[in-house]
Amino acid sequence: MKKEPTVICPFCHEQEVLSKTLTAQSNQNVIFTCPSCLESITNIETSKGD
Ligand SMILES: [Zn+2]
């Protein structure tokens, strides 16, 4: 079984599957939306490398 990466919501501290919370934008920004509390964070910087 494939284990999906998860993220802890900074608002309600629920653990959510990453793929359900992140929406990629065409400008390469990512929006995090928590399915539990529906809070969202925009302009998440994703870094590749390191
Ligand atoms: Zn939340």
Side-chain angles (χ1 to χ4, degrees):
M1 204 190 296
K2 185 179 180 183
K3 188 176 183 181
E4 292 199 60
T6 57
V7 61
I8 305 290
C9 173
F11 300 103
C12 67
H13 301 119
E14 286 288 330
Q15 187 173 28
E16 308 291 350
V17 176
L18 196 64
S19 60
K20 290 185 179 178
T21 62
L22 295 184
T23 304
Q25 304 285 280
S26 57
N27 59 4
Q28 297 187 337
N29 285 338
V30 173
I31 299 177
F32 167 90
T33 305
C34 175
S36 292
C37 67
L38 302 181
E39 290 283 355
S40 63
I41 307 172
T42 56
N43 299 323
I44 296 176
E45 291 187 26
T46 57
S47 59
K48 298 174 181 176
D50 287 290

